Amino acid sequence: MMYIIFDELKLRQISSELHKKNKSIGFIPTMGTLHAGHLKLVRESKAKNNVTIVSIFVNPAQFSPNEDLAKYPRPFKQDKKLLENEKVDYLFYPDVKTMYPAGFQTYISVNNLSNIFEGKSRPGHFTGVATVVLKLFNLVQPTNAYFGQKDFQQYVVIKQMVRDLNLSININVVSTVRDKDGLALSSRNIFLNPQERGQAINLYQSLLLAKKLILSGNNSVKPIKKEMKNYLQKYKLIRLDYIEICNPKNLSPVKITAKKSVILIAAYVGKTRLIDNIII
Ligand code: AMP
């Protein structure tokens, strides 16, 4: 049976009991509206840990005022059922007051990494993410935490925070789960109308195009980006935000693709902002 925890004291007690019994804890922070991508993280945790804890918290601190916080879906009953089916041990489901009581004023900012790419387009976003993730880590005290490659920059930011703040938590990245046609699963895909949904697959297609170019010997970044842009221009509902090709370890942009590079893309499809990436 899955146990649902609402308050921090209870979570601390449970975590401390588990540590006393020498149980490993796998932790997956989410904002709910769970799909097969989240469930892959859960399965990975279940396979590698004695106990799995999932959190569902739509974190206001990571949304800017003009973003979709109020509109963000919250299908709790459905999420609960999905987690029960996966035999998750504990679900932490706090409300906003629990996580940000009146007077809250301490934030974690992972400088540099937080200000590029997603951070440039969404100021404050990664400060909100790092702050809530550190709070959740402090409460859960996990052995392993699981993040999706889909949000690659988020994974790199969290890794950096863990290193900088001497946390003893293993950060694991899990490859992106996609629909049959290649679109990366995202809680935001439900905002796409059928026409937008049809065009959205071209973000991944443009990444595959870049991959093909690189694997056939083109390693100069500028023309690769240009080819991607040309490809995407045909799709009128797509408004590109950025394409970046970088070193996956520290996200520093490269001019020539190296042995291992990550290609990151962000675009609006209609009014919905989507991101994707591949590692080559
Ligand atoms: P979210 O609920 O959107 O905050 O996502 C929670 C976790 O699930 C994050 O670590 C995401 O990177 C991960 N995630 C979201 N979508 C996918 C996907 N399509 N494949 C794998 N992991 C994902």
Side-chain angles (χ1 to χ4, degrees):
M1 210 197 72
M2 184 174 75
Y3 193 87
I4 305 178
I5 307 163
F6 298 94
D7 66 295
E8 63 167 290
L9 195 68
K10 190 79 203 164
L11 179 55
R12 280 181 192 289
Q13 277 169 355
I14 287 166
S15 166
S16 125
E17 287 298 316
L18 291 170
H19 281 285
K20 265 185 224 152
K21 292 183 193 151
N22 260 328
K23 303 278 188 199
S24 58
I25 303 177
F27 175 52
I28 303 102
T30 81
M31 299 206 301
T33 316
L34 304 177
H35 51 61
H38 299 108
L39 301 184
K40 188 172 177 189
L41 274 59
V42 169
R43 284 174 201 163
E44 194 77 20
S45 168
K46 290 280 299 178
K48 302 269 164 66
N49 299 276
N50 298 128
V51 173
T52 290
I53 304 183
V54 174
S55 65
I56 295 181
F57 180 61
V58 182
N59 175 33
Q62 72 190 67
F63 289 78
S64 349
N66 59 345
E67 287 182 338
D68 53 357
L69 173 64
K71 258 193 357 190
Y72 202 87
R74 290 157 170 90
F76 180 70
K77 267 195 188 153
Q78 186 187 307
D79 287 346
K80 179 172 163 258
K81 197 160 214 168
L82 287 169
L83 296 175
E84 279 167 350
N85 289 344
E86 296 298 325
K87 303 199 162 46
V88 163
D89 301 285
Y90 297 96
L91 166 60
F92 182 47
Y93 185 56
D95 61 13
V96 174
K97 268 193 298 196
T98 301
M99 295 304 281
Y100 299 105
F104 184 90
Q105 53 189 287
T106 305
Y107 291 88
I108 301 293
S109 66
V110 180
N111 288 314
N112 304 348
L113 278 177
S114 285
N115 302 325
I116 56 174
F117 315 157
E118 279 306 280
K120 201 162 165 193
S121 300
R122 308 182 65 190
H125 172 68
F126 287 117
T127 294
V129 169
T131 302
V132 85
V133 169
L134 181 63
K135 284 167 67 64
L136 291 166
F137 281 178
N138 285 336
L139 293 170
V140 175
Q141 300 280 327
T143 321
N144 287 291
Y146 295 84
F147 292 86
Q149 187 195 321
K150 215 270 277 155
D151 301 277
F152 192 76
Q153 190 176 358
Q154 167 171 280
Y155 159 69
V156 178
V157 166
I158 299 299
K159 281 279 276 191
Q160 186 69 44
M161 174 182 81
V162 163
R163 211 177 303 137
D164 289 348
L165 299 182
N166 311 96
L167 306 182
S168 54
I169 298 168
N170 300 313
I171 304 300
N172 301 273
V173 67
V174 177
S175 60
T176 304
V177 179
R178 301 177 180 282
D179 262 342
K180 277 201 192 83
D181 60 8
L183 179 67
L185 296 186
S186 161
S187 308
R188 290 192 166 92
N189 291 351
I190 56 164
F191 295 134
L192 300 169
N193 69 31
Q195 253 187 325
E196 292 164 350
R197 176 66 186 74
Q199 295 201 2
I201 59 169
N202 293 297
L203 301 185
Y204 185 52
Q205 287 303 320
S206 75
L207 291 170
L208 292 180
L209 170 68
K211 180 177 180 179
K212 210 170 91 191
L213 289 170
I214 292 169
L215 294 183
S216 62
N218 301 281
N219 59 3
S220 177
V221 162
K222 227 177 177 177
I224 297 170
K225 278 192 183 175
K226 194 154 180 227
E227 290 274 344
M228 290 176 75
K229 281 180 192 162
N230 285 344
Y231 174 86
L232 289 168
Q233 244 162 28
K234 292 179 284 193
Y235 302 98
K236 299 298 173 204
L237 300 176
I238 298 180
R239 187 160 52 82
L240 187 64
D241 184 354
Y242 63 77
I243 295 169
E244 300 288 350
I245 305 185
C246 359
N247 175 335
K249 284 232 157 73
N250 54 19
L251 297 189
S252 61
V254 294
K255 286 206 168 99
I256 301 288
T257 57
K259 233 188 203 161
K260 212 173 175 193
S261 302
V262 59
I263 310 181
L264 304 158
I265 186 169
Y268 283 91
V269 183
K271 283 187 177 145
T272 305
R273 193 163 184 287
L274 299 179
I275 56 173
D276 200 353
N277 68 82
I278 50 172
I279 294 173
I280 295 163

